[in-house]
Each structure stands twice: as C-alpha cells, then as structure tokens.
Amino acid sequence: MRRRADYPWDLKTLLSGKPTVGWLMDLCEENYRYLMRLAPDMRTLQGGYRSRLEQKVDLYLEVLEQTPYTSLLHLTYYFSHGSRQYPDPDAIIRIYHDSRQAEVLSLKQQLVSLSHRGIYPTLEQKWKISLFLSKWLSYSVREGHCFLPEHTTTAPAQENLLPV
C-alpha cells in the first residue's frame, strides 16, 4: 500500500499535530482493512473464534452481533494469573461494511492510558483509541493471526476473568 505524502501516521505528526475528522476516518478505514485481513469471512461469522499460532498468545474474536450492514465484535487476548484469566487489550468494535469503517466503541488495556471522562469522547481521544487499535491489528496481521469459520471456540468463562 502506497502512502500519500500527507499520510498522518508518521511519529512527528502523531506527537505534534492535532487529529482531524479526516484523519480519524482514514484510520477507521485502515482498521477495517486490517480486520478484513484477520477475518476475511467477517460478514458470515457467528460466535467465538480463536487464532492460535505456535509460541504466541492466542487472539480471540467474538461476534456479538451481525446485521445486514454492520458487525459488532469483541477482540482480546486472555492472559493467565493463577487460576484466573484477564483480557488485555480488550476491545469492542463496530464494523460498518457499507462505508468500510471500523469504530472502537470500548477499549480497555493496561499499557497506555486511553480512558476519557464523560460520556462522549473527544476527537483526540477517539483518535488515540483508534490509533492503538490500528497498531494492535497491524501487529496481529504481521504475526499471521487469522479467524476462519473452522476456528470456532469459546472464551474463558466470565467467573474466571479478572477485571482489566
């Protein structure tokens, strides 16, 4: 994929610039493309899936809802802590198939502070959360993760989960 000269994801721009609605939409499109590479059959998937790679942490995808134009997903890793497990990062993502966009509805993780106060996140907060998702999805694709219909599974039981 060839990038435009004004493509906003270079480190200097990320650290010094203010995101725009256009940049956020570009990022949502990029996240959509990564998700389609992870789950090429996204529109037909139902239930839970696990992508398992040798000597890597399993990546879990749960399809929470399918409608004619959208999919609602839960994407996470589960890490063990004693007999319990905790999800991290832990994302809820709405995919808009008609506009080829992926919007992060919720993201919990331990590494970077991305939380926001109030009900409605600001453009900058949405940008940071979407950027985190982009980096995570890019990494997952590079690692070789993929969700196919034959990889169905169940996530750990809720009572065995530690809060993020």
Side-chain angles (χ1 to χ4, degrees):
M1 175 171 80
R2 186 164 180 207
R3 296 193 172 172
R4 303 183 315 252
D6 64 340
Y7 196 72
W9 321 154
D10 67 89
L11 187 57
K12 182 179 177 184
T13 303
L14 288 175
L15 296 176
S16 65
K18 291 283 187 188
T20 66
V21 172
W23 286 5
L24 180 60
M25 291 185 73
D26 285 349
L27 195 50
C28 290
E29 288 175 14
E30 184 173 285
N31 288 342
Y32 177 87
R33 287 191 301 272
Y34 282 133
L35 283 164
M36 291 303 105
R37 288 180 63 190
L38 283 172
D41 299 323
M42 177 63 68
R43 294 182 95 160
T44 62
L45 298 179
Q46 298 286 332
Y49 299 85
R50 176 175 55 195
S51 176
R52 187 169 236 175
L53 301 172
E54 246 183 77
Q55 298 182 358
K56 304 284 181 191
V57 178
D58 294 349
L59 183 61
Y60 289 84
L61 173 76
E62 182 181 5
V63 179
L64 304 173
E65 177 184 279
Q66 287 282 20
T67 70
Y69 301 105
T70 66
S71 300
L72 183 63
L73 314 174
H74 175 225
L75 186 68
T76 193
Y77 296 115
Y78 289 103
F79 293 95
S80 296
H81 183 72
S83 64
R84 311 234 18 214
Q85 300 214 356
Y86 67 95
D88 190 35
D90 191 32
I92 303 293
I93 306 157
R94 167 97 48 211
I95 296 179
Y96 301 92
H97 296 288
D98 53 344
S99 62
R100 299 179 183 261
Q101 300 270 323
E103 177 187 17
V104 182
L105 301 180
S106 167
L107 177 66
K108 299 174 190 165
Q109 50 76 48
Q110 300 292 319
L111 187 60
V112 181
S113 175
L114 296 173
S115 63
H116 57 81
R117 293 187 189 350
I119 298 172
Y120 303 106
T122 65
L123 175 62
E124 191 168 348
Q125 290 162 338
K126 282 182 141 303
W127 166 258
K128 287 178 181 177
I129 290 168
S130 294
L131 183 61
F132 181 92
L133 179 66
S134 176
K135 297 302 181 185
W136 180 24
L137 293 174
S138 171
Y139 172 78
S140 299
V141 166
R142 280 194 320 272
E143 288 290 301
H145 282 289
C146 188
F147 298 103
L148 299 171
E150 60 268 18
H151 296 156
T152 59
T153 190
T154 55
Q158 288 290 18
E159 63 270 9
N160 293 331
L161 294 181
L162 294 172
V164 176

